[in-house]
Amino acid sequence: TNGAKILRALIAAEKDGAKQKQYFEELMKVHDQRIQYLDALNGLTRKPTTKGDILATKSHDFYSFMALNPDINAAYALFKEAVELEKQNLPYYVMQEFADISAQKVKSDANHKEQFIQDYITIAGYASEALKAATKPKSQEQYKMAKDNIDAHFINSGVATCDNLQAIYAPKIEANKTNLDYLKQVMKVMKMLGCTEAEAYFAASAL
């Protein structure tokens, strides 16, 4: 834990780009080592942690220093695993960063559109759950802000249009006509965005 704090400070204070990148790589290795020795380390502390919590911190550090390694796919993979493990227990800032990373990925990968929509539904849902569970005013404010930022990333992505949803879902509805969960998801997204007049919405609701 202290190693991560030290390396963050070294990156912030360093002016040489090559050295910054070296410190960044060491920072990522510190997180990997914490995961590697997780069981042993948990035996030495009063506050045990989880792999998902460490991955959330690693994702946040990757996001914070992305200028040193602007690999969207690597960042996305880190965040995706952290989200899958921690769900609504994620820190508010990791939730909104994941939404941002997924939105950035969709700009360079048109095939990511449907996954981006699913990412939005997932993380917005976790943010809402965390907001409902929060008991302290500060936490409530933070998760409310995260939910607003997640919504903003979705709306500003350019994907959230009825034409795009029609193009994404129309070819897949017939193939998923026996998959009730998928059809419900299609209808939920399209209804949320006011696309109930689209052909894809009618096709999903008719099956």
Side-chain angles (χ1 to χ4, degrees), residues 24 31 39 46 61 66 79 87-88 98-99 101 112 118 121 124 134-135 140 150 155 158 164 181 194 196 207:
F24 171 80
H31 293 307
D39 291 339
R46 294 179 181 178
D61 281 340
M66 274 195 73
F79 274 100
K87 300 179 171 62
Q88 72 274 11
F98 173 60
I101 287 295
H112 184 65
Q118 183 55 52
I121 294 170
T135 56
Q140 293 171 346
I150 289 165
I155 292 167
N164 276 336
D181 288 338
T196 54
L207 292 172

Side-chain angles (χ1 to χ4, degrees), residues 3 10 25 27 38 66 68 73 82 86-87 91 129 142 147 149 155 157 172 180 196 201 205:
L10 288 170
E25 290 171 355
L27 176 58
L38 181 59
M66 274 195 73
L68 302 174
N73 291 329
E86 289 300 294
K87 300 179 171 62
E129 288 180 41
Q142 289 171 335
K147 179 64 168 62
N149 287 335
I155 292 167
S157 68
K172 299 183 179 182
L180 188 59
T196 54
Y201 181 86
S205 60

Side-chain angles (χ1 to χ4, degrees), residues 169-178 182-183 203 207:
Y169 288 130
K172 299 183 179 182
I173 289 173
E174 180 64 26
N176 288 277
K177 62 183 180 181
T178 60
Y182 182 82
L183 296 175
L207 292 172

Side-chain angles (χ1 to χ4, degrees), residues 5-99:
K5 292 177 182 177
I6 292 167
L7 285 163
R8 290 186 199 110
L10 288 170
I11 293 171
E14 183 58 60
K15 303 300 182 184
D16 183 87
K19 288 184 179 179
Q20 279 186 320
K21 190 166 185 178
Q22 181 183 341
Y23 290 141
F24 171 80
E25 290 171 355
E26 289 182 27
L27 176 58
M28 295 296 104
K29 288 178 183 177
V30 166
H31 293 307
D32 292 339
Q33 286 179 324
R34 286 189 69 200
I35 293 171
Q36 182 181 353
Y37 301 113
L38 181 59
D39 291 339
L41 291 170
N42 276 340
L44 302 172
T45 180
R46 294 179 181 178
K47 294 182 179 180
T49 189
T50 64
K51 178 182 178 181
D53 186 54
I54 297 170
L55 281 172
T57 304
K58 182 179 180 181
S59 299
H60 174 64
D61 281 340
F62 198 109
Y63 182 90
S64 299
F65 299 113
M66 274 195 73
L68 302 174
N69 184 8
D71 187 336
I72 290 295
N73 291 329
Y76 177 78
L78 273 178
F79 274 100
K80 190 77 161 58
E81 187 175 3
V83 169
E84 289 171 352
L85 289 172
E86 289 300 294
K87 300 179 171 62
Q88 72 274 11
N89 297 316
L90 286 165
Y92 75 94
Y93 50 85
V94 175
M95 290 182 176
Q96 60 191 28
E97 288 167 357
F98 173 60

